[in-house]
Amino acid sequence: MSRLIRVVATLVAAAWAVLGFALADLAVLLLWNPAFVSVFALEASWGALLMFFVVVPCIHVAIRPGRWADALVTGGIALASIVAGSLLAGDPATLILAGLLAASLAAIAVPGVIRARSGAADAGVPWHPRLDVPLLVLALAGMVLWAPYLVNATVGADGLPRDITMGLDHWPVHIAAGIAIPLGALVAAVLGRVRTLAACASALSAVSIGTAMAVSQGAPSATESAHWSVLAVTWGTLLLLALVWSGRRNEKIEDDIVDRVDRAPSRSTS
């Protein structure tokens, strides 16, 4: 069953990276094309949301099939955000995208559940909450930072020029990114099991969108100021640094526990 999970996760990752235009839209950050300047931020938000919340976690599952449920968490954040973005934008067509994503996640979940019921061990740390205070502070700050983005994106969806991918408007997904990014940071702060995946997804998405906003000032899709763009990139960078620091701190705690266990027999012997 692990092999099937690997295959399905690989196919889902490839489908969303290529057919879902995650890779192509995110590439606007690397390949400057004047034809896309007016919708630069919209392209980046579509690409970032699908790449970092869906594609990368699926690649993670393809490598470690025992962690199949991790992709359901980040993918679920993207799914819920897309549904909310569709409702806020008043664009029910975007629910098609949500339906395709739900089907993709279900394709991973079915063999994963079968594997779990067969008695196969679930790799990784437990699911119980494990609060990380620095990440929580950044997550709360992110809610404040992304609030104006969310408001302006919702307003922009009603009157600014549209950008179409697969016959779907980018604005609802643009809105969804403003929901998924702070939500992903919050999940990373409270759930150790998916801390790395969720924090990286939020941080890299923030840096991507902030950069796109900064270099396309004056374009209709650049709804936020250059100052906000700098704050978004800074926030994403701090989130990554906090994640690294959290990992090193946890490693030190684990090393201390191992040292105590190793010293215990010698003390009892003496």
Side-chain angles (χ1 to χ4, degrees):
M1 196 56 65
S2 293
R3 181 177 299 177
L4 178 59
I5 295 174
R6 289 182 193 272
V7 171
V8 172
T10 300
L11 292 175
V12 170
W16 284 100
V18 180
L19 301 179
F21 289 87
L23 189 59
D25 283 10
L26 195 59
V28 298
L29 295 174
L30 301 175
L31 306 173
W32 180 266
N33 188 338
F36 287 98
V37 172
S38 63
V39 293
F40 206 49
L42 297 179
E43 295 284 320
S45 59
W46 178 293
L49 179 66
L50 296 180
M51 178 62 72
F52 300 127
F53 282 88
V54 179
V55 175
V56 171
C58 286
I59 294 174
H60 170 71
V61 171
I63 297 172
R64 302 183 65 185
R67 301 291 294 267
W68 59 271
D70 297 7
L72 302 187
V73 176
T74 56
I77 291 172
L79 175 59
S81 299
I82 291 172
V83 171
S86 175
L87 296 175
L88 289 173
D91 184 6
T94 310
L95 294 176
I96 296 174
L97 186 69
L100 292 173
L101 180 53
S104 300
L105 297 178
I108 294 175
V110 170
V113 171
I114 294 174
R115 179 183 185 276
R117 289 186 175 181
S118 68
D122 190 15
V125 297
W127 281 103
H128 60 74
R130 191 175 63 182
L131 183 66
D132 187 284
V133 175
L135 285 174
L136 179 61
V137 171
L138 285 170
L140 295 176
M143 292 180 181
V144 176
L145 175 65
W146 289 90
Y149 169 100
L150 182 59
V151 172
N152 292 332
T154 304
V155 173
D158 190 38
L160 292 177
R162 304 173 68 192
D163 183 26
I164 306 297
T165 290
M166 299 191 303
L168 301 175
D169 189 6
H170 274 239
W171 279 104
V173 178
H174 192 63
I175 296 170
I179 299 172
I181 290 172
L183 181 57
L186 182 61
V187 169
V190 300
L191 195 57
R193 165 85 180 212
V194 293
R195 179 157 295 153
T196 299
L197 279 180
C200 286
S202 292
L204 295 175
S205 296
V207 171
S208 300
I209 294 172
T211 302
M213 288 279 190
V215 300
S216 61
Q217 287 294 300
S221 64
T223 57
E224 309 308 314
S225 67
H227 294 94
W228 182 93
S229 303
V230 172
L231 289 175
V233 173
T234 302
W235 179 82
T237 304
L238 290 175
L239 194 61
L240 286 175
L241 293 175
L243 176 64
V244 172
W245 185 67
S246 173
R248 290 181 176 178
R249 188 174 71 252
N250 290 335
E251 286 179 2
K252 184 178 184 303
I253 293 173
E254 291 171 359
D255 289 342
D256 291 342
I257 294 174
V258 171
D259 289 341
R260 293 193 191 100
V261 172
D262 290 341
R263 288 196 299 267
S266 60
R267 288 180 178 176
S268 61
T269 303
S270 59

